Amino acid sequence: MRIGLLTDGGYPYATGESRLWCDRLVRGLAQHEFDLFALSRTAEQEARGWVQLPLQVSRVRTAPLWIADEDSLGLHVPRGLLSRLLSGGGAHSYGRRERRRFTTHFTALATAVCAAGATGAERGDGSGPAGREPRGDGGRAAATEDTRFTEGLYGLAELACEHGGLPAALRSETAVRILEAACRAPGTGRTVQAATVPDLLAFAAELDRVLRPLSLDWYDEEGLGAVDLCHATSGGAAALPGLLAKRFFGVPLLVTEHSVHLRSHYLAAAGTPLSAPVRALLANFHGRLAAEVYRQAALITHGNTHARRWQERCGAEPAKVRTVHPGMESGRFAALGENEGDGGPDTLVWVGRIEPAKDLVALLHAFAEVRRAEPDARLRIIGAAARGTEGAGYLAHCRALAAQLFPDVATGAHAVGDSPVSFEDIGGAEVPDLAQAYAAGGIVVLSSVVEGFPISLVEAMFCGRATVSTDVGAVVEIIGGTGLVVPPRNPRALADACLALLRDPERRARLGSAARARALELFTVEQNLAAFRGIYLELIARAPVRREAVTVHADGGPRPFATPPEAHVLGLWPEPGETFAPEPAGRTPSWAGRGVCAGALGGAGDGDA
């Protein structure tokens, strides 16, 4: 079948999220044909180019979400018309009828987004998605706002397809006035009502970027209309083309979220300079969009129960939600996992990207407790700082704290002092590769306060290492009883768990073996590919055949299959309604001369004679 793979900031670009997973999926399901529809996020990502694509990728169509010029948007609007739209004030460059349509649809969408109670972020309590509304007036009000949102969204999409996109209309004065009226309407939350004109302009710009897929030229019979199934690799902007493909062509939609898009938006918004009203409006919009994506998806897959709870709380029907653990390469850890040694028996290892969410400060304080009980213990922190000044600053802070807690100690008067804590990068002489990082110690520690799917934990399990982890994200689900789990932000509990394993090598070995067996059963690439192979067949079997059946019989009856086997055999075949007269006995049928086997048939006849 032909799969339309929808990505946002990832595959086929050389950098970005879910890049490796998408590449493994496409290469592993070689029996299918893939069309890629990719959104890029930055100029740097565009400049880095694409990964090498396999033969089963037949077409690639891309569009940027980070610029708004007519040469790069990939819109289906004629160049001259787009120039007039960009310079003429957006909605005011439409005709009178189109202006009325834009005003109607954008008003519906803005009213739904500004309505109070859409998300916990709008209420200002930081509780995240509000979940399903209770029955009664609250439930009916929520259903009304959902209807307004979808009418507005699909109305704008139809307007964009018919009249050359919405490149300037969403940033026009008309749009800002509509947003202002919706924010001031009775019943909206206090945070939204406090939005100023600069806030509305900032929100309009963000809305224009997120809704840019509505203006692309992907929605025709040679684009998304030609695929059998749309597979969105995340929610948000990546799923928008899938919504429109289902709306316009009836293409079923599969949504995969390894990290729930709405949760990621909440976490990212906290670190932006946007004002509270803009953050609330964006949270409301993404909440409404997530609910619509979940409603229209034929199936929603996630990587862990933590993500499933978020999806169901945001409106996904439990019957549609299915767990498919991310597949990871286990081969590079095979030699270490099959080795009976457990690395340094007195060494704790932490592996990952150094950033505040990993809470290395708590780990260092916990290790201070461990050192008091076990003076020979060592801690190796292996990894690089996250990109940006925050990551570099946090690494410097951790180094300073380690120097304060563990001053260099010399074993003799003439010996060089040494610290029991080391900060190392993968690729150096001590740690040449990732497998060697896990081989550096007998216990792998995860001290995070925020996690989604903890990749480093699964890698440690592949290596057969015993683990001590904090109870965040999907940790408990991943570990499944093969490691120790403690509360986050609790150095004392973390130290006690580490000491328990340091003092019991038999238990450490037993947990490591069980962890490796569990990882090989649940988290390999093979199980991930098998799951999606079955899901693709399941969804296409439930979807109606959208292609016209080919007829061959005189009565005009259709073939029993949409694509008959003969279509793949070279040669001429009867046209609809065409019949052949019977040949006299002893003569080779005249139709045999048309096919690829004509020579073989003729040769056989001559030889027999």
Side-chain angles (χ1 to χ4, degrees):
M1 68 185 74
R2 176 177 284 185
I3 309 298
L5 194 64
L6 313 176
T7 67
D8 177 12
Y11 197 67
Y13 296 102
T15 61
E17 300 173 3
S18 300
R19 172 178 56 86
L20 291 176
W21 174 78
C22 289
D23 192 56
R24 291 168 184 162
L25 179 75
V26 172
R27 293 179 186 276
L29 300 182
Q31 70 272 36
H32 299 306
E33 183 180 1
F34 287 85
D35 291 351
L36 301 185
F37 298 85
L39 303 171
S40 65
R41 291 184 181 175
T42 64
E44 179 185 2
Q45 186 176 57
E46 291 270 5
R48 295 285 294 273
W50 299 351
V51 298
Q52 185 175 1
L53 299 176
L55 294 177
Q56 51 265 38
V57 176
S58 58
R59 292 184 303 170
V60 180
R61 302 177 79 166
T62 65
L65 289 183
W66 47 275
I67 53 177
D69 64 87
E70 56 190 288
D71 294 322
S72 304
L73 274 179
L75 307 180
H76 62 284
V77 57
R79 182 182 180 90
L81 175 58
L82 180 54
S83 298
R84 292 196 298 273
L85 284 171
L86 288 172
S87 61
H92 299 290
S93 297
Y94 290 138
R96 182 179 301 175
R97 180 178 300 176
E98 287 74 33
R99 289 201 301 271
R100 285 200 302 268
R101 287 180 61 188
F102 174 81
T103 300
T104 299
H105 300 317
F106 191 72
T107 298
L109 185 140
T111 301
V113 168
C114 294
T119 64
E122 157 58 19
R123 293 193 306 270
D125 58 10
S127 62
R132 299 181 179 179
E133 294 288 345
R135 294 184 179 181
D137 294 341
R140 286 192 292 271
T144 299
E145 299 305 335
D146 287 340
T147 301
R148 285 179 180 170
F149 180 84
T150 55
E151 288 176 352
L153 180 68
Y154 294 125
L156 291 174
E158 292 167 0
L159 181 64
C161 288
E162 296 170 12
H163 298 282
L166 305 168
L170 294 173
R171 292 177 279 118
S172 66
E173 181 181 351
T174 300
V176 175
R177 290 185 179 277
I178 292 172
L179 286 173
E180 183 177 24
C183 289
R184 306 291 185 263
T188 56
R190 292 191 302 272
T191 306
V192 168
Q193 286 183 348
T196 62
V197 172
D199 293 333
L200 298 176
L201 291 172
F203 175 63
E206 286 294 315
L207 198 61
D208 170 62
R209 185 186 64 81
V210 177
L211 292 181
R212 196 163 294 163
L214 302 185
S215 299
L216 300 177
D217 61 349
W218 297 352
Y219 313 109
D220 53 35
E221 293 292 344
E222 296 184 357
L224 285 170
V227 304
D228 299 305
L229 172 69
C230 279
H231 187 175
T233 58
S234 69
L240 264 177
L243 287 179
L244 301 191
K246 180 177 182 182
R247 178 81 172 187
F248 297 151
F249 307 106
V251 179
L253 173 62
L254 167 65
V255 177
T256 293
E257 289 186 308
H258 291 126
S259 60
V260 177
H261 180 269
L262 187 59
R263 176 178 180 270
S264 300
H265 169 78
Y266 287 156
L267 294 174
T272 64
L274 298 174
S275 66
V278 177
R279 291 199 303 270
L281 288 168
L282 286 172
N284 288 356
F285 171 80
H286 283 287
R288 297 284 185 198
L289 180 59
E292 176 61 12
V293 169
Y294 294 154
R295 270 194 299 270
Q296 298 302 327
L299 199 66
I300 305 155
T301 68
H302 56 86
N304 54 78
T305 303
H306 181 255
R308 180 189 185 110
R309 287 196 296 267
W310 268 85
Q311 289 171 336
E312 293 181 358
R313 191 167 170 80
C314 294
E317 296 179 17
K320 287 185 177 182
V321 182
R322 188 171 302 178
T323 302
V324 180
H325 295 297
M328 298 175 58
E329 292 285 355
S330 61
R332 57 179 169 172
F333 305 112
L336 178 59
E338 294 169 0
N339 188 351
E340 294 184 359
D342 64 351
D346 297 325
T347 303
L348 307 178
V349 175
W350 181 95
V351 181
R353 185 176 61 249
I354 298 175
E355 58 186 350
K358 305 303 182 182
D359 200 10
L360 293 184
V361 171
L363 175 59
L364 290 170
H365 283 289
F367 185 65
E369 297 287 338
V370 172
R371 280 280 292 183
R372 277 191 280 271
E374 295 289 337
D376 293 333
R378 298 184 63 85
L379 171 63
R380 300 180 68 174
I381 296 175
I382 303 173
R387 290 185 178 182
T389 58
E390 184 182 35
Y394 188 70
L395 174 57
H397 173 67
C398 291
R399 286 181 180 273
L401 178 61
Q404 178 184 354
L405 292 175
F406 311 101
D408 293 350
V409 178
T411 56
H414 302 288
V416 178
D418 183 28
S419 172
V421 177
S422 62
F423 291 82
E424 307 168 51
D425 286 333
I426 296 176
E430 294 290 331
V431 189
D433 56 36
L434 187 59
Q436 289 301 314
Y438 293 105
I443 301 171
V444 176
V445 184
L446 184 142
S447 54
S448 303
V449 293
V450 176
E451 280 287 352
F453 184 88
I455 293 176
S456 63
L457 201 56
V458 178
E459 292 171 342
M461 294 168 70
F462 279 135
C463 295
R465 289 296 183 257
T467 59
V468 176
S469 313
T470 49
D471 186 5
V472 292
V475 165
V476 172
E477 179 184 1
I478 300 305
I479 289 296
T482 65
L484 304 187
V485 180
V486 300
R489 296 189 179 94
N490 192 331
R492 182 63 192 178
L494 190 63
D496 289 343
C498 291
L499 285 170
L501 293 184
L502 285 171
R503 293 168 174 172
D504 192 344
E506 292 185 1
R507 184 185 186 192
R508 194 165 64 232
R510 190 166 59 250
L511 289 175
S513 298
R516 175 169 167 76
R518 179 175 175 82
L520 291 175
E521 179 184 0
L522 297 178
F523 307 123
T524 62
V525 173
E526 292 74 20
Q527 67 82 23
N528 184 266
L529 292 176
F532 279 107
R533 186 180 293 113
I535 286 172
Y536 282 0
L537 294 177
E538 174 187 342
L539 293 183
I540 206 65
R542 296 190 331 216
V545 175
R546 296 182 296 107
R547 298 186 182 90
E548 294 183 2
V550 181
T551 58
V552 294
H553 305 299
D555 60 359
R559 291 183 187 271
F561 302 101
T563 306
E566 303 94 285
H568 301 288
V569 180
L570 298 176
L572 300 177
W573 295 91
E575 296 296 329
E578 182 181 0
T579 58
F580 291 113
E583 299 291 343
R587 289 185 57 185
T588 301
S590 59
W591 51 263
R594 304 185 187 185
V596 293
C597 298
L601 287 172
D606 294 342
D608 291 342

